[in-house]
């Protein structure tokens, strides 16, 4: 029994072991013309095994790069494209750091924290109050969508103090209900539209059924009259 653990490694598993053996055979050929012909035939087979590569730009270039990678860069043939090397073909992508920013109140998200910070840095007090009111509106809408239940204004005010470190205050004169009310109106409007649409469909179906029944009744009456006068 020949186990995979005792066989040579496969450079690119998506092509399978048979393609690996073909490429190894091409590397072992002494005649350059024969080696070139075998390599071009292997390229055609690789394009059949991976047809999804045809949807990418320069897919033939990728196939030629792959055959050199499979041969461990030992295949000595002419390529219509620049021949890759181990240094250029196996470049590891640079490390992408994941943002590890701690969010005080996660149900509002980091964007609300960014808005709060921007409001704190505002020098114009009138603009700061307007911006604070807008943020409070959005916070109440976000909290309602997150909890799927009603939320008191007092809770939003306390959360605003927490996020701003006491720098921003939602006063009693501020209206932080407009966004949630607009959302409720939109949902109610959508629900009424669906209800009206269903009623119209039901009425149309009933009307069609009545017309169909009337037509059947008239046809039946006409047939009876025709049979009576025969």
């Amino acid at each position: 029994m020949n186990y995979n653990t005792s066989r040579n490694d496969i450079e690119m598993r998506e092509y399978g072991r048979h393609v690996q053996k073909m490429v190894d055979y091409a590397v072992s050929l002494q005649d350059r013309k024969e080696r070139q012909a075998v390599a071009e035939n292997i390229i055609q087979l690789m394009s059949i095994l991976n047809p999804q590569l045809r949807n990418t730009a320069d897919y033939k270039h990728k196939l030629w790069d792959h055959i050199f990678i499979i041969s461990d860069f030992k295949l000595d043939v002419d390529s219509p494209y620049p021949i890759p090397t181990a240094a250029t073909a196996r470049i590891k992508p640079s490390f992408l750091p994941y943002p590890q920013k701690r969010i005080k109140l996660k149900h509002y998200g980091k964007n609300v924290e960014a808005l709060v910070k921007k409001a704190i840095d505002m020098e114009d007090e009138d603009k700061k109050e307007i911006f604070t009111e807008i943020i409070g509106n959005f916070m109440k809408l976000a909290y309602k969508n997150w909890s799927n239940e009603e939320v008191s204004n007092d809770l939003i005010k306390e959360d605003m103090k927490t996020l701003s470190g006491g720098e921003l205050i939602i006063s009693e004169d501020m209206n932080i209900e407009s966004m949630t009310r607009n959302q409720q109106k939109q949902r109610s409007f959508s629900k009424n539209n669906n209800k009206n649409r269903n009623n119209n469909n039901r009425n149309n179906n009933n009307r069609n059924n009545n017309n169909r029944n009337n037509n059947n009744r008239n046809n039946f009456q006409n047939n009876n009259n025709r049979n009576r006068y025969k």
Side-chain angles (χ1 to χ4, degrees):
M1 182 77 64
N2 191 6
Y3 294 99
N4 286 337
T5 53
S6 62
R7 298 177 178 178
N8 296 331
D9 293 336
I10 303 176
E11 293 295 332
M12 300 190 69
R13 297 181 182 275
E14 55 266 36
Y15 291 106
R17 186 169 297 277
H18 292 295
V19 172
Q20 180 73 53
K21 290 182 177 180
M22 293 179 187
V23 175
D24 292 340
Y25 171 74
V27 172
S28 65
L29 293 174
Q30 299 297 324
D31 190 338
R32 184 177 181 82
K33 290 184 178 179
E34 184 181 2
R35 187 167 61 246
Q36 182 73 33
V38 171
E40 292 175 357
N41 290 330
I42 295 174
I43 289 291
Q44 294 180 4
L45 177 61
M46 291 167 63
S47 66
I48 295 173
L49 293 177
N50 276 340
Q52 68 274 10
L53 285 178
R54 298 179 184 179
N55 298 328
T56 61
D58 298 332
Y59 79 96
K60 288 187 177 180
H61 191 174
K62 293 181 182 296
L63 291 175
W64 278 98
D65 287 347
H66 290 172
I67 196 173
F68 286 111
I69 294 173
I70 293 173
S71 70
D72 197 19
F73 308 99
K74 298 176 182 178
L75 184 62
D76 184 14
V77 293
D78 296 327
S79 172
Y81 307 98
I83 298 177
T85 61
T88 59
R90 293 175 176 172
I91 299 176
K92 292 184 178 181
S94 59
F95 177 74
L96 182 64
Y98 189 82
Q100 297 289 342
K101 185 178 180 180
R102 186 175 181 84
I103 303 175
K104 291 182 180 179
L105 300 175
K106 294 184 178 181
H107 48 279
Y108 294 123
K110 64 179 182 180
N111 290 332
V112 170
E113 289 190 359
L115 292 174
V116 170
K117 185 178 183 304
K118 184 175 181 179
I120 293 174
D121 295 337
M122 286 183 173
E123 297 180 358
D124 191 326
E125 293 297 330
D126 292 335
K127 289 184 178 181
K128 180 182 290 189
E129 289 185 5
I130 295 173
F131 205 55
T132 301
E133 183 177 353
I134 294 173
I135 297 172
N137 266 278
F138 182 76
M139 287 172 62
K140 185 163 187 178
L141 179 64
Y143 193 103
K144 189 175 184 300
N145 291 334
W146 170 73
S147 64
N148 200 22
E149 60 184 17
E150 294 297 330
V151 55
S152 66
N153 292 343
D154 293 336
L155 177 61
I156 301 300
K157 293 177 182 179
E158 290 299 323
D159 288 346
M160 176 64 80
K161 289 182 181 179
T162 302
L163 291 174
S164 64
E167 295 288 334
L168 301 180
I169 303 296
I170 298 177
S171 64
E172 296 295 334
D173 298 334
M174 293 182 182
N175 178 18
I176 58 174
E177 303 281 349
S178 58
M179 285 189 180
T180 53
R181 288 177 180 173
N182 289 336
Q183 186 186 54
Q184 290 174 354
K185 288 180 180 179
Q186 290 176 357
R187 289 179 178 175
S188 178
F189 180 75
S190 178
K191 187 184 297 182
N192 291 333
N193 280 344
N194 292 333
K195 185 177 181 180
N196 292 333
R197 192 181 298 112
N198 292 333
N199 289 335
N200 290 334
N201 291 334
R202 192 180 300 109
N203 291 333
N204 290 332
N205 291 333
N206 292 334
R207 191 180 299 110
N208 292 333
N209 290 332
N210 290 334
N211 292 334
R212 194 179 297 110
N213 291 332
N214 290 333
N215 291 332
N216 292 334
R217 192 180 300 110
N218 292 332
N219 291 334
F220 179 76
Q221 186 66 33
N222 292 333
N223 290 332
N224 285 339
N225 293 333
R226 195 179 296 110
N227 292 331
R228 186 183 304 154
Y229 292 108
K230 279 184 176 180

